[in-house]
Amino acid sequence: TAIKAGLMSGGYYKRIEVGGVTISNDKPFVLISGPCQIESEDHSLFIAKKLAEICSKLNIPFIFKASYDKANRTSVSGQRGVGLEKGLEILAKIKADVGCPVLTDVHEREQCKLVSKVVDLIQIPAFLCRQTDLILEAGKTGKIINIKKGQFLAPWDMGNIVEKLASVGNDNVLLTERGTSFGYNTLVCDMRSLTRMADTGCPIVFDATHSVQQPGALGAASGGERSFVPVLARAAIAVGVASLFVETHDDPDNAPSDGPNMLRLDDMKKVLIQLKKIDELTKADLYGTS
């Protein structure tokens, strides 16, 4: 397929199907969204249903994301979530009741098989993206694997991680950009990395939430500037990506983790309307589609 330029300048792009959702660099962007961590069944269902309603009206494919355990905390006092067993029960409930694919992250090899029985996509956190045994175990489940690029990695280094998954027969891989360490307590985003990582042939995700994070900036917790989430999301959509990762919460200022980075749930519709318009223009120009 010949295209003008942009994310997949080589003309090759992989399409991954999950639960009626197509994830591909040349297709309309997929929203991956939900609260940072699972706080309760009622709260997670509330957010999932609200997001599904918004996305249905805007015709935006939707995957729900939330973590049962936030293991990579700044401080030992940080709230981590409801735990593996309860978290998987809630994710299964959301999948059944809302009817959307679900995604969560793993931190240890032993979690992979258990998590794969419930979720559609398994995520490897950025801090753990070079943990070979964890990646191989996740790959062996046969699930779609979303690998977040470490804050310490160059985008071209992600090809080695894709090869690790290929070694266990799993090529259903998404690669996520979430910012790069810049001095202390700061991240910056190099939008060139979206194109660089796309050279692997994988669908590319941009994490607009964690890209505005200020790791450890609050002393015992991470800070962030949520006002820049829509700014970076618009920039990534203008480059052309398969998916946007945007965490959201009805009361982010009082959320147990990553509150400063999450968009307010009430603001999601307005932001998504803007992003959908840019995405349609970008994909029509690059691929002749929308």
Side-chain angles (χ1 to χ4, degrees):
T1 302
I3 57 176
K4 296 180 181 179
L7 193 59
M8 296 306 294
S9 56
Y12 165 71
Y13 35 86
K14 182 187 301 179
R15 293 181 179 176
I16 294 177
E17 306 282 344
V18 55
V21 172
T22 300
I23 310 172
S24 178
N25 296 324
D26 69 320
K27 288 294 188 181
F29 81 91
V30 176
L31 177 68
I32 299 174
S33 187
C36 179
Q37 67 173 256
I38 298 172
E39 299 172 33
S40 69
E41 179 177 307
D42 288 345
H43 183 257
S44 295
L45 273 169
F46 164 71
I47 292 182
K49 289 178 179 178
K50 182 65 174 179
L51 287 170
E53 178 185 349
I54 294 171
C55 288
S56 176
K57 290 180 179 178
L58 298 179
N59 195 28
I60 295 174
F62 168 56
I63 296 171
F64 178 82
K65 177 272 165 187
S67 300
Y68 56 82
D69 179 15
K70 302 300 295 183
N72 299 321
R73 296 293 83 197
T74 301
S75 168
V76 71
S77 63
Q79 296 185 54
R80 292 181 52 169
V82 298
L84 177 62
E85 183 176 351
K86 182 62 176 177
L88 290 180
E89 289 178 5
I90 293 172
L91 289 169
K93 177 75 170 173
I94 290 170
K95 185 175 179 179
D97 287 9
V98 182
C100 61
V102 296
L103 174 153
T104 198
D105 34 17
V106 294
H107 300 88
E108 300 173 4
R109 291 176 58 194
E110 294 75 16
Q111 296 174 349
C112 294
K113 187 174 291 185
L114 292 171
V115 168
S116 70
K117 295 178 181 179
V118 174
V119 307
D120 302 281
L121 305 92
I122 294 177
Q123 181 167 282
I124 303 295
F127 282 125
L128 301 179
C129 71
R130 289 192 60 170
Q131 299 299 311
T132 300
D133 289 342
L134 176 63
I135 290 169
L136 296 180
E137 198 68 26
K140 290 175 184 176
T141 66
K143 293 293 181 176
I144 299 166
I145 309 298
N146 183 32
I147 305 279
K148 286 198 166 186
K149 180 178 75 65
Q151 302 90 324
F152 43 84
L153 284 185
W156 45 84
D157 293 333
M158 294 299 283
N160 293 320
I161 300 174
V162 174
E163 290 178 3
K164 289 179 183 180
L165 286 162
S167 74
V168 293
N170 193 327
D171 63 354
N172 290 320
V173 183
L174 313 178
L175 299 182
T176 296
E177 170 63 66
R178 52 90 15 104
T180 301
S181 295
F182 184 79
Y184 298 121
N185 306 124
T186 305
L187 298 173
V188 295
C189 286
D190 179 359
M191 292 298 168
R192 295 174 300 177
S193 71
L194 301 174
T195 301
R196 292 283 194 177
M197 290 196 296
D199 288 340
T200 63
C202 296
I204 303 303
V205 183
F206 181 71
D207 180 348
T209 302
H210 294 94
S211 290
V212 304
Q213 190 182 62
Q214 297 170 327
L218 301 182
S222 291
E225 298 178 285
R226 79 169 64 93
S227 62
F228 287 109
V229 170
V231 176
L232 293 180
R234 291 195 296 268
I237 285 289
V239 174
V241 291
S243 176
L244 276 179
F245 183 111
V246 182
E247 289 183 338
T248 186
H249 197 281
D250 54 309
D251 186 15
D253 291 333
N254 291 298
S257 60
D258 275 340
N261 315 306
M262 286 192 282
L263 277 188
R264 290 183 173 85
L265 187 60
D266 288 343
D267 293 333
M268 285 292 289
K269 183 176 181 179
K270 178 181 178 180
V271 171
L272 289 173
I273 289 172
Q274 294 175 340
L275 295 174
K276 183 176 173 65
K277 291 177 181 177
I278 299 171
D279 187 62
E280 289 174 347
L281 289 172
T282 299
K283 300 289 170 64
D285 183 52
L286 291 179
Y287 307 107
T289 62
S290 61

